[in-house]
Each structure stands twice: as C-alpha cells, then as structure tokens.
Amino acid sequence: MKKKTADHAFATAELKGTKLEPTFSGALSFMRRRYSKELAGVDVAVSGFPLDTATTNRPGTRFGPRAIRAASCNNAWNRPYGTDFDPFDRLAVIDYGDCHWDHGRPEEIPAAIEAHAAQILESGASLLAMGGDHFISYPLLKAYAKRYGPLSLIHFDAHSDTWNDAEGTGRVDHGTMFYHAVKDGLVDPRRSVQIGLRTHNDDHMGFNVLDAPWVHENGGAKTAAEVRRIVGGHDAYLTFDIDCLDPSFAPGTGTPVPGGLSSAQAIAALKGLAGIQFVGMDIVEVAPAYDVSEITALAAVHLAHEWLALYALGGKARG
C-alpha cells in the first residue's frame, strides 16, 4: 500500500507512479507531479505558458495553466479510462512551473518561450505545454525543429491558424503562426493534418484537412486511421486548441465556434494515435473566465492525460 502523505507537489521524492491525495485538498501541481526545475532523469516536463496578448477575440488564457492544474486533481488518482497501463508508471513526469517573461516587453516573449522549451528539450526530456493562447506553438515549434528537423503537425482546432501574415514574422498573433511554421520549414504540411476545422480559409498551405463535418461523418477511429496514414513514421507534434471542441463541451475559450467535436470524439481520435512517434504536445486556449463548472479545463486535462499515455507507447526516446 502506498504511503499516505499530503502535498505531493512538494513532498514526493519519486517522479514515477500515480500520486493519491484527496481531490479536494493539497498543492495543485499538474496531476500531483513534483514541482521541480531538475531535469535529470525526467521523461516529460509539464510547463505553463500564460500568454493572452496574441488573442483576436476574448482574452483570459493567461489563466489557463492555473485552471488546468486545478482541474487535474480530478484525474490524478487513476489512469486514462480504456488504457491498460498507468502512464506515470512508465514516465518520470514533473511540473516545471511556468515560463517567465516581462509582460511590459511583449516583443521579447517569443524568444523567452523558445529558450524555455529549448532548455527542457536539451536535457532529453519532452515538453507538455499548457497555454496560454495558441501563438505559443510557434516559438515552441522553433525549439523542436532545431532538435528534430521539420515535424509532422497534428493540429486539432476550429481554425486553421494559417492566415497570410503579409506584415512579416514580427507580429505576435494566434491566427498566423502555422503560416510562418510552414514558411520557416518548421513543419512539413504534406505529412501534417488539421482536424476539426469549421472556419473558412481559402489557402490551406498544403496541410491535409479533416474538418469537423468529416469527423462527424466518419468518427474518431477513422479520423485516427487517416492521421496515422498521413503522418506515417515521422516525428510528430500534437497541438490541441480546446476550441476544437464544440462550445457545449468547452465554453471556456476565447473564440468558440459551434459545430465542433464532442469530448468523446476527440478522446477516441487521440486513443487511435497509439504508435505515432510524438516529440511533444501543447494544449492551448483554455480561458477559465468563460468556463462553466471547470468543464473546459477538465477536457484539457483529460486530453493531456491521454497524450501522456500515447507518449509512453511511442514517444521519442530520451537523448
């Protein structure tokens, strides 16, 4: 029987294993993982990127990492349903805290995010990033591409985020970062896929698209099979904008769009991605001020938990 203790976020010495603690109490790290800046022996570092200055609609995603951590106590006691192992038995996972920058110097934020991610990746660990708005994916992909080369992007979203940014790369905008990711060679759109889209953009930048109606018609298992076909054996990065889910399942976001995926569809699609060689993930656009009973943050936690199981099965090895 596991020793009973409180505040695993600070008290635990073991980086593996599920941490049992009353849901209603204790220090709220991500999934009760130890807060630490020590990366030796770590497989996955979870870190927050509390940014919302790149939003085009409702702000508030700077509080997303805090909300996800708080909601994660609901999942921390058990493995993802339908998974026959506990990812925390296989992976050493820490909560690395949040990326820090000077909010008064927004032009320095992209470099701060990239450097923060690079430090984690250089240790041999992977990064599970909690947004923040979706712009964070751009500097994160810069750090990953320097280590792994051009990646396959698996992108769940209501929006393509590939709108033409004629003003150049200096702008900080959560709707243009994958336009730049393609232009910069960070991702290969031919072996990448966007899932759940339901807003018009006439230029898909070469990405394969499985829009929301396609997912509704074909289901989660077929969606996953098509993603696996497109990505093949290439290194892949998963980015999940919570507004991919229908607002009935994720009201707490800045740019909600009706007609989206259900939580069940998204979970089924993720479960079907077992075996893909993931290098990292971000979960973004949780804005708790617009949430109802934490359901958006809970969905984000569940999706992140599912990804940890995927990473345990097929993630890029340390080193």
Side-chain angles (χ1 to χ4, degrees), residues 35-72:
Y35 273 116
S36 177
K37 297 295 186 183
E38 176 55 59
L39 292 165
V42 171
D43 296 305
V44 180
V46 183
S47 191
F49 296 83
L51 179 70
D52 64 5
T53 54
T55 56
T56 53
N57 192 15
R58 304 186 300 192
T61 55
R62 68 180 60 186
F63 299 105
R66 181 187 299 178
I68 293 170
R69 286 187 177 100
S72 74

Side-chain angles (χ1 to χ4, degrees), residues 3 19 33 95 104 129 203 242 253:
K3 181 181 178 182
K19 310 302 180 186
R33 310 323 298 172
D95 191 322
D203 186 359
I242 205 67
T253 192

